[in-house]
Amino acid sequence: MSTSQRSSQLPGEPLFAELPKPSQTPVTVVSPMMALPPAVTPKQRLVHYSADDWEEFIYEWVMSLKEAGYVDVVGMGGSNDRGADIAAFLTPAKTDGRWHCYQCKHYDKPLVPSSAYPEILKIHSAVAEQQYRVLPERYVFVAPKLGGSLVQLLAKPSALKAGFLEWATKSSARLAQEYPGGLLERALHRARASTFSCFEAGNLDIILEQHASTPHHVRRFGTPLPDRPARETTPAQHAPEEARYVQQLLHVYGEKWGCSTVSPEEAAAHPKAGRNLQNQREAFYRAEQLRLFARDSVPDGTFESLQEAVFSGVVEVEEDDFPTGWARLKAVLAAARDMQLGTNVLLQVVDPDDRKGICHQLANVDRLTWVQGAEQ
């Protein structure tokens, strides 16, 4: 303490002021919220795929390329794939006609020219042996990581061709053993006559963007479903494919209000039955819209699994004793509205009318019945 500080202290004054006593109220210390780890992107997830998973992913993508005009897509991978993991055919002649080839490579390190050259030799040797009548119009290397040197070569066919032929010349002794009986010479003869313009690199960003439009994307990457289309107006005219569930509803209205059990028009004109019939038809068409949305957005069987979950949850209600079909209909629809439906991915977009509509889909195939013993 300085002299001036000492001189300002009054006699008998404590050196330090007495601290206030701590409050007797307990203090809860709250730890700062821990930051969530960043979500793993689809591109990051693909890096950890096995070779088989990668090839399956690429197959799904190629199958989605409707604008390419493919008449068929075939997985040809394996130990003797002859340079083509996935073949996409532009004509019924398949590899005897115009076709595209997708070569899948999944390594820990980026794909480099020395890994691509053996595949280029394979495809030329397969044509030399008439395994394929012609080279594919497009030969796409698809890998989660492509080395910069290979990307640059694929962007300049003349340089790719020169690099390939230089590699083949340096490796000729070994390659002659792998391609005996003059096959190496025939393959290289075809390679020298080729422009190498068919070889290209797949762009992973574009592949993922296009794959996102397939029903497989949500299953693979756990991404949110796309938005459902806006609700469509229910057709005024009854379609043949809704005849059975409507007939079941007519039995309900006939029992409750004495409406005709054969004339939807009479039921529609009834002040109460007509309003209910319209509501049920709107729900049915909403569920039909969900079915079509599922067809294009999630894997096969996802919507059917949801239907089965609804059926399992309401069938025991439907089997109970009720005084009227109206009471049974109301009880089943309420059960469908309130029930837990597990973890089906479609639950992201399901609304109450979908649940009601699924019940009518089930009634449409007589898996649910509202008026027990009614004439079918």
Side-chain angles (χ1 to χ4, degrees):
M1 183 179 293
S2 67
T3 305
S4 60
Q5 286 176 317
R6 286 197 185 96
S7 62
S8 64
Q9 182 180 353
L10 298 175
E13 182 181 358
L15 186 61
F16 295 105
E18 184 178 358
L19 295 175
K21 294 182 179 180
S23 169
Q24 300 303 310
T25 305
V27 176
T28 302
V29 179
V30 180
S31 62
M33 183 180 293
M34 295 183 65
L36 294 175
V40 178
T41 66
K43 185 183 287 189
Q44 291 169 332
R45 188 168 298 182
L46 288 173
V47 170
H48 301 287
Y49 267 21
S50 67
D52 288 343
D53 287 339
W54 173 251
E55 189 168 326
E56 183 181 354
F57 165 74
I58 296 301
Y59 178 82
E60 294 167 357
W61 165 61
V62 176
M63 286 287 291
S64 76
L65 300 178
K66 297 179 176 61
E67 70 280 0
Y70 296 145
V71 299
D72 196 11
V73 177
V74 176
M76 302 176 69
S79 58
N80 191 29
D81 60 23
R82 305 311 304 268
D85 284 327
I86 298 169
F89 311 124
L90 291 157
T91 75
K94 301 183 180 179
T95 57
D96 284 341
R98 298 170 56 225
W99 67 295
H100 294 169
C101 171
Y102 296 86
Q103 186 62 32
C104 305
K105 293 296 179 186
H106 195 288
Y107 300 144
D108 292 335
K109 297 181 179 179
L111 191 65
V112 294
S114 60
S115 298
Y117 290 151
E119 303 302 328
I120 295 174
L121 180 57
K122 275 187 191 179
I123 197 73
H124 281 101
S125 70
V127 175
E129 286 189 306
Q130 288 297 292
Q131 178 74 26
Y132 311 131
R133 191 176 66 83
V134 292
L135 283 172
E137 293 182 359
R138 294 179 64 200
Y139 187 108
V140 185
F141 286 99
V142 279
K145 293 183 284 188
L146 285 166
S149 58
L150 178 59
V151 172
Q152 291 173 13
L153 284 175
L154 290 170
K156 188 174 178 59
S158 59
L160 177 67
K161 180 177 179 178
F164 167 77
L165 292 175
E166 180 182 357
W167 166 83
T169 300
K170 291 180 178 179
S171 309
S172 59
R174 172 178 59 80
L175 293 175
Q177 296 179 347
E178 297 177 12
Y179 297 88
L183 177 57
L184 176 63
E185 289 75 12
R186 295 197 303 274
L188 292 180
H189 174 74
R190 288 190 171 273
R192 292 186 185 97
S194 171
T195 65
F196 277 59
S197 59
C198 67
F199 298 102
E200 60 185 88
N203 184 307
L204 188 53
D205 291 321
I206 294 176
I207 291 172
L208 278 167
E209 180 181 345
Q210 293 173 330
H211 188 272
S213 68
T214 74
H216 308 284
H217 198 77
V218 172
R219 171 180 60 85
R220 283 198 174 275
F221 303 113
T223 54
L225 288 174
D227 293 335
R228 284 178 67 177
R231 184 187 289 262
E232 298 176 356
T233 302
T234 301
Q237 298 297 319
H238 291 216
E241 53 267 25
E242 56 177 323
R244 179 59 190 139
Y245 89 88
V246 169
Q247 178 65 59
Q248 289 222 47
L249 289 170
L250 295 182
H251 283 300
V252 170
Y253 306 147
E255 182 186 64
K256 184 170 180 62
W257 291 299
C259 300
S260 169
T261 59
V262 296
S263 172
E265 293 77 17
E266 181 178 325
H270 188 278
K272 293 186 177 180
R275 183 176 63 182
N276 187 267
L277 177 60
Q278 179 64 19
N279 289 340
Q280 306 314 321
R281 292 188 68 231
E282 288 176 359
F284 175 81
Y285 275 97
R286 183 64 172 165
E288 284 293 289
Q289 185 193 51
L290 178 64
R291 179 179 63 83
L292 297 177
F293 172 82
R295 180 193 64 188
D296 299 330
S297 305
V298 293
D300 291 345
T302 304
F303 179 76
E304 290 73 16
S305 176
L306 180 65
Q307 275 187 322
E308 287 303 311
V310 172
F311 177 74
S312 177
V314 303
V315 64
E316 292 187 6
V317 177
E318 184 249 16
E319 292 171 346
D320 282 346
D321 292 329
F322 290 93
T324 64
W326 175 261
R328 178 175 287 105
L329 170 66
K330 288 293 189 179
V332 167
L333 297 184
R337 179 195 63 208
D338 298 334
M339 67 183 292
Q340 296 296 318
L341 286 174
T343 58
N344 192 295
V345 68
L346 286 172
L347 294 178
Q348 296 178 32
V349 296
V350 166
D351 63 28
D353 269 357
D354 292 315
R355 294 167 175 250
K356 289 168 54 179
I358 288 173
C359 291
H360 292 304
Q361 289 175 328
L362 294 167
N364 212 33
V365 292
D366 289 316
R367 297 188 70 188
L368 296 176
T369 304
W370 310 131
V371 179
Q372 304 292 331
E375 182 181 350
Q376 302 299 311

